[in-house]
Amino acid sequence: MRRNGRYLTGSACALAVSVAAGLAVALAHPLPAWAQEFSGAPIAVDPAGNGTGDAVAAFDPAASGMQDTGQGASLLASPGDEPAPFDMNEHRRPAVRQRTAALSAPPETVPPAEPAAAVSNTPAAPASEGMTPATPSVGNGAPGTGAATPGSTTPDVATPAAPTPGAVTPGATPGATTPATAEQPQAPGQMVPTYLSDLLSSQAGHYVARENERQALVDFYTARDYRPAFTAGSGLSPLGKAAVAAFAGSFADGLNPADYVAPALTPDAPDAAVAEAELRLAGAALLYARHVQSGRFDPKRISDNIGPSPTVPDPAAVLAQLAGSPDPRATFASFAPQYDEYRLLKRQLARLEKSGPALPPPTVPSGPLLRPGDSDPRVPVLRERLGIGGAPEDTTYDDLLVEAVRDFQSMAGQKVDGIVGRDTLSALNENSAPQVADVIANMERWRWLPHEVAPAYVMVNIPEFMVRVVVNEQTVHETRVVVGKPQNQTPLLTQDMEYVVFNPSWHVPPGIIRKEMLPALRANPYALERQGIDVVRNGRIIDPGTVDWSRGTQGYSFRQPPGERNALGRMKFMFPNKYAVYLHDTPSRSLFSRDYRAYSHGCVRVYEPLKFAEVIFGLGLPNDGWGEQRISRLIGGNEKYLNLKQHIQVNLVYFTNFVDASGRLVARDDLYGINQATKTILGLDGTSRVADRRGVISAR
């Protein structure tokens, strides 16, 4: 899709990632899963995606300055006829594209692994109080391994000893035995299925973090008669090489390569070590697919006002898809978000990483308004700030510099007038150039959207104060919006728009009644009359002067009937949700001319709603001829409902960094502090964090 923070504190340091850390982990000293969980890697340690089940929130919004949830108006009863589900086209499946890995697979020749008995002597990292090794968390490195091989030791030879009499040879008829003779050495890999069977029956939980992943791992190899998929002989298979390349290049998707341990194998690696490497690669592949598709933590850890449910990949489907793919590298790439804006951010991340951290720009001193043609001693500093050449003694605010200021104002979402006033000066001195950590945090939030890209959807980007209608990843309509104030935040969510209400009544939400209307009523019981708001009790309008408002509003409701003064304007676009918010018209249209447009109680006010409705009806009521003129005839009189035949996905999102229509990476204010909170949980603010088994994060 191509298109045209100030409440939380903390530094946004660039993420330093060592790819080598993920590739150099030796098989001889694998950490147990619970020890790796507390290794301190700077990535979220909570299970990724939807439904972590944490008993205690890992991020404390109140302590970090997060604001309260927005309060929308109460929902009306649903219309009588249930509209048909959205069926314009089939959803766009994630495209499998050929990608070039950021790093090639490492050489397969490394020093041979030590005997597996050494694993039991590896000191484990101390666990937090109440910690049990049986319940590993996700995020700080790939899962641990536990004991590598059944028994006390692994033979220190390339070819393992032949099975003892009575042992079943993989692929043989049950009950058949293989005599142990020194004259019949076994081919490399022959015993791998036996070792895989033993490891999965006793230690499957060491390789993955979730029960459904453990079961998927067991079922996958059982169905294959324990034949390996990621290894072949004593080395890596094509799938294994593709996995190693995906893990090594995972920073390109804003992930931490150290989270996905890629074991090394020697040409003469014993079958026990090969089996161990096979399961570690399979477990890391499941972790990678989950991280890159659905994210590294549950979004609800930031705030209850964040309601997306990321599409967590099914682990059984992941393994089946990888094992059956003719192009494993493209399959690994298909787990990442398939939205065009995500790909554009990915390119910007590569550019920022290549260029390295930028020096802080010079500060432009405060002063009077600077208009085109003015002479001011601050002009040379302004030139330096915007990268415009000129003589140090030239203090004229000339046309070239004016154009650079206008470009900056456009990028910063300000009024483009070329005048350097207070707001422009503040933005210039905030060092608002996006950093690596900011881009990674925004890429993470793209994973909160449905993985399957809808053929048509509505997207409201809250920090940008814009709404767009997108069809086949092309914007077909965009306009300005007013969103919730920081103390009444517009929630993040994904729901389907089902119907539109014309001439709506406004049923005032309890939060607004309690915080705003009750104090006014106590001072003057007729204070709401000038807004045309009726006081209702048992379905009847009553005289507010007969009520003792010092006793509260229990039993009373407040309703503003349709009309020019109605807070919802002439229409509202309904996508039923638990927050009771929606898109709607407004009589306060002057606010749309402002650059900063966070003034609502949580709902989203739409500029020029008739034009917006025409686009919506073209998608939701195709071929029915709903132009602006026909729509305008519904305005006036009583409430009218119009059901959409085809529902349209609505995404309320929060992207502070994105690529505009000219290909520039731009930044917007962190209006609600969500970007900073994302960076904090991911450890992108320069602080290494660990978590206890409840998911509570603390610095170390």
Side-chain angles (χ1 to χ4, degrees):
M1 172 181 64
R2 299 303 298 271
R3 57 187 180 186
N4 83 344
R6 54 180 177 256
Y7 292 96
L8 290 180
T9 59
S11 61
C13 300
L15 174 64
V17 176
S18 173
V19 172
L23 301 177
V25 177
L27 283 171
H29 300 287
L31 286 174
W34 62 271
Q36 287 190 345
E37 179 181 352
F38 293 90
S39 61
I43 290 292
V45 292
D46 161 46
N50 182 33
T52 59
D54 293 335
V56 179
F59 183 80
D60 184 352
S64 301
M66 292 288 291
Q67 305 298 320
D68 293 334
T69 291
Q71 177 66 64
S74 302
L75 283 174
L76 298 175
S78 298
D81 296 330
E82 178 65 19
F86 186 82
D87 59 2
M88 178 189 310
N89 292 296
E90 292 185 2
H91 279 52
R92 199 176 87 183
R93 300 288 178 181
V96 179
R97 294 178 169 83
Q98 179 68 37
R99 302 287 178 93
T100 302
L103 294 176
S104 59
E108 299 179 19
T109 303
V110 296
E114 296 181 10
V119 172
S120 61
N121 297 324
T122 302
S128 298
E129 184 177 356
M131 183 67 189
T132 57
T135 56
S137 293
V138 178
N140 283 346
T145 58
T149 308
S152 58
T153 60
T154 300
D156 193 15
V157 293
T159 303
T164 56
V168 177
T169 302
T173 302
T177 60
T178 302
T181 59
E183 290 78 12
Q184 296 180 349
Q186 295 174 350
Q190 186 172 340
M191 288 296 293
V192 169
T194 299
Y195 286 119
L196 283 175
S197 176
D198 290 343
L199 289 172
L200 287 169
S201 65
S202 60
Q203 303 176 37
H206 286 285
Y207 303 99
V208 289
R210 296 182 171 186
E211 174 58 29
N212 67 331
E213 293 174 340
R214 186 200 68 79
Q215 189 60 52
L217 208 62
V218 171
D219 292 345
F220 174 73
Y221 285 102
T222 300
R224 295 173 59 86
D225 291 329
Y226 300 101
R227 289 180 293 108
F230 293 83
T231 58
S234 59
L236 297 176
S237 68
L239 174 57
K241 293 176 181 178
V244 169
F247 304 158
S250 60
F251 181 75
D253 280 287
L255 304 178
N256 186 352
D259 277 359
Y260 319 107
V261 177
L265 289 172
T266 63
D268 58 349
D271 287 359
V274 173
E276 174 81 8
E278 173 74 25
L279 294 183
R280 290 175 66 188
L281 281 167
L286 289 176
L287 180 64
Y288 172 86
R290 176 153 51 83
H291 279 182
V292 77
Q293 178 168 313
S294 60
R296 286 165 282 181
F297 66 91
D298 185 346
K300 297 176 184 63
R301 289 173 61 188
I302 293 179
S303 167
D304 291 337
N305 206 35
I306 299 177
S309 296
T311 309
V312 182
D314 175 54
V318 169
L319 291 172
Q321 189 176 355
L322 287 172
S325 174
D327 188 351
R329 295 196 181 200
T331 302
F332 272 108
S334 72
F335 296 125
Q338 300 298 302
Y339 297 88
D340 286 348
E341 272 291 344
Y342 176 87
R343 296 191 183 100
L344 292 173
L345 279 178
K346 185 174 179 177
R347 294 177 190 170
Q348 293 293 332
L349 176 62
R351 179 186 63 81
L352 289 172
E353 180 64 12
K354 183 177 180 180
S355 61
L359 295 175
T363 299
V364 181
S366 59
L369 286 177
L370 184 56
R371 302 177 183 275
D374 287 353
S375 180
D376 192 291
R378 297 173 295 166
V379 166
V381 182
L382 183 60
R383 281 203 186 94
E384 183 183 358
R385 170 65 181 86
L386 296 175
I388 303 297
E393 64 276 7
D394 186 357
T395 60
T396 301
Y397 186 29
D398 58 22
D399 292 343
L400 183 62
L401 186 54
V402 170
E403 190 61 30
V405 169
R406 290 172 62 87
D407 286 344
F408 174 82
Q409 289 172 329
S410 174
M411 183 180 68
Q414 298 190 341
K415 184 178 181 180
V416 181
D417 56 10
I419 299 173
V420 181
R422 182 181 59 184
D423 292 342
T424 299
L425 199 62
S426 175
L428 285 165
N429 291 332
E430 277 182 354
N431 188 20
S432 58
Q435 303 297 314
V436 167
D438 295 301
V439 174
I440 290 174
N442 279 269
M443 291 174 71
E444 184 77 7
R445 290 194 293 278
W446 275 101
R447 311 185 210 281
W448 299 356
L449 272 65
H451 188 62
E452 202 168 84
V453 182
Y457 57 87
V458 174
M459 180 169 285
V460 177
N461 188 16
I462 296 168
E464 192 187 4
F465 309 118
M466 292 292 291
V467 60
R468 292 177 176 85
V469 182
V470 182
V471 178
N472 295 326
E473 284 300 87
Q474 296 296 316
T475 298
V476 297
H477 180 77
E478 66 179 13
T479 190
R480 287 166 280 175
V481 296
V482 172
V483 301
K485 295 176 285 189
Q487 62 269 33
N488 300 108
Q489 297 174 15
T490 297
L492 277 61
L493 58 82
T494 293
Q495 294 290 339
D496 282 352
M497 185 185 297
E498 299 179 3
Y499 61 98
V500 179
V501 181
F502 290 88
N503 313 308
S505 294
W506 182 39
H507 297 261
V508 184
I512 298 177
I513 294 171
R514 183 179 63 255
K515 297 177 182 178
E516 300 179 24
M517 293 186 174
L518 183 57
L521 287 169
R522 285 172 175 168
N524 176 10
Y526 297 101
L528 304 182
E529 280 192 347
R530 61 177 177 269
Q531 297 174 256
I533 297 176
D534 297 327
V535 179
V536 180
R537 184 178 179 87
N538 298 325
R540 300 179 61 183
I541 298 175
I542 66 169
D543 182 352
T546 64
V547 180
D548 180 5
W549 295 113
S550 66
R551 304 179 65 179
T553 60
Q554 187 68 29
Y556 298 92
S557 60
F558 298 79
R559 181 186 64 202
Q560 188 180 41
E564 285 297 321
R565 293 185 296 176
N566 188 279
L568 306 182
R570 300 163 295 179
M571 65 190 77
K572 60 179 181 178
F573 304 85
M574 303 300 294
F575 41 99
N577 58 85
K578 67 179 182 179
Y579 302 100
V581 299
Y582 38 82
L583 277 70
H584 66 87
D585 183 20
T586 176
S588 304
R589 297 182 178 91
S590 62
L591 296 177
F592 291 113
S593 64
R594 303 186 183 184
D595 300 325
Y596 179 88
R597 297 191 291 274
Y599 297 107
S600 83
H601 287 87
C603 286
V604 179
R605 306 174 191 173
V606 181
Y607 183 60
E608 296 182 328
L610 278 174
K611 292 183 179 179
F612 182 75
E614 183 179 14
V615 177
I616 291 298
F617 291 163
L619 296 170
L621 296 167
N623 305 317
D624 281 5
W626 282 98
E628 278 193 57
Q629 186 175 3
R630 183 182 177 188
I631 295 171
S632 64
R633 289 200 292 267
L634 297 175
I635 296 174
N638 296 327
E639 287 187 345
K640 301 178 183 72
Y641 291 74
L642 191 60
N643 293 329
L644 299 179
K645 295 177 182 177
Q646 297 177 340
H647 295 175
I648 304 172
Q649 185 182 102
V650 176
N651 301 300
L652 305 185
V653 299
Y654 194 94
F655 297 122
T656 55
N657 297 115
F658 53 87
V659 179
D660 68 8
S662 64
R664 297 178 305 178
L665 178 63
V666 299
R668 292 292 184 267
D669 285 347
D670 191 3
L671 187 64
Y672 301 155
I674 292 174
N675 191 61
Q676 180 59 44
T678 305
K679 292 191 292 185
T680 297
I681 291 179
L682 292 179
L684 299 175
D685 56 0
T687 304
S688 177
R689 286 173 170 78
V690 297
D692 64 21
R693 62 193 304 260
R694 298 173 300 168
V696 178
I697 288 181
S698 59
R700 59 178 297 171

